[in-house]
Amino acid sequence: MFLFKVLHDLLTISLFIYNVCYIFPTEISGLKTACRNGWNLINGRCFKYVPSRMTWAKAERNCISMGGNLASVHSSEDYYDIQSLIRRVTHELKETWIGGSDAAEEGNWSWSDGTLMTFTNWCPGEPNNAGRGQHCMQMNHSGEKCWDDYGCTVKQPSVCVSKN
């Protein structure tokens, strides 16, 4: 009888662990292990490419409506993986809005999701605030496919990162 109880308890624990790890989307050490349908898991966060062309502000509002923000990029690995996502969807590397902006204070770039900007991938000579009206960040600029400050009212695709 004791052996039966031990086996029953082990089976119960095993089923619980299976459900937590494989059936329900979970987070381990703050990193996601699954994303909602239509979102892509990249380095523990969920990203979505949005092909609709919008201004930076409208793209940010759109991301917020889906439970996120325009994407923040924290490493070269993040950047290349986000580029791979864009390439998978579009078969090219289109210029695309991400969540960087210096609209609050010229030259002080921050991410719209509130995370710290510890990694940058600016193109040579950027950000340059050409015409004194470039306060939003796009990726995949020029032949180098790097970051550029750009006019926020230009309409282009975007990448969101999900908070949940």
Side-chain angles (χ1 to χ4, degrees):
M1 183 69 166
F2 175 76
L3 183 57
F4 178 75
K5 170 113 173 74
V6 169
L7 288 173
H8 178 265
D9 290 347
L10 284 174
L11 180 60
T12 302
I13 291 168
S14 296
L15 285 172
F16 173 77
I17 291 170
Y18 174 81
N19 284 334
V20 167
C21 292
Y22 297 103
I23 294 179
F24 302 109
T26 61
E27 293 187 27
I28 298 172
S29 301
L31 296 179
K32 291 181 183 291
T33 58
C35 297
R36 294 176 282 158
N37 191 29
W39 292 75
N40 299 271
L41 186 63
I42 297 175
N43 302 324
R45 298 187 298 153
C46 297
F47 292 84
K48 182 176 184 131
Y49 176 76
V50 179
S52 302
R53 299 175 64 84
M54 299 177 230
T55 65
W56 189 94
K58 183 162 179 157
E60 173 68 5
R61 285 192 305 274
N62 182 57
C63 291
I64 290 169
S65 76
M66 294 187 289
N69 291 94
L70 281 169
S72 55
V73 182
H74 301 290
S75 68
S76 57
E77 184 180 6
D78 277 356
Y79 192 67
Y80 296 131
D81 289 343
I82 293 167
Q83 283 183 316
S84 293
L85 168 64
I86 294 168
R87 185 179 279 125
R88 255 192 334 269
V89 174
T90 67
H91 306 291
E92 60 183 314
L93 288 177
K94 294 180 174 239
E95 291 180 328
T96 303
W97 290 129
I98 55 178
S101 173
D102 75 341
E105 181 183 348
E106 177 59 36
N108 186 11
W109 287 85
S110 59
W111 294 118
S112 62
D113 67 4
T115 58
L116 293 176
M117 190 174 290
T118 57
F119 166 81
T120 62
N121 190 35
W122 292 108
C123 294
E126 301 296 343
N128 63 6
N129 197 25
R132 303 223 178 264
Q134 296 185 331
H135 301 292
C136 294
M137 186 185 291
Q138 66 175 347
M139 62 181 286
N140 294 328
H141 179 67
S142 77
E144 296 183 44
K145 303 301 179 192
C146 40
W147 296 355
D148 174 43
D149 58 336
Y150 206 49
C152 301
T153 59
V154 174
K155 294 180 179 179
Q156 55 188 11
S158 56
V159 175
C160 301
V161 63
S162 175
K163 292 179 180 177
N164 48 18

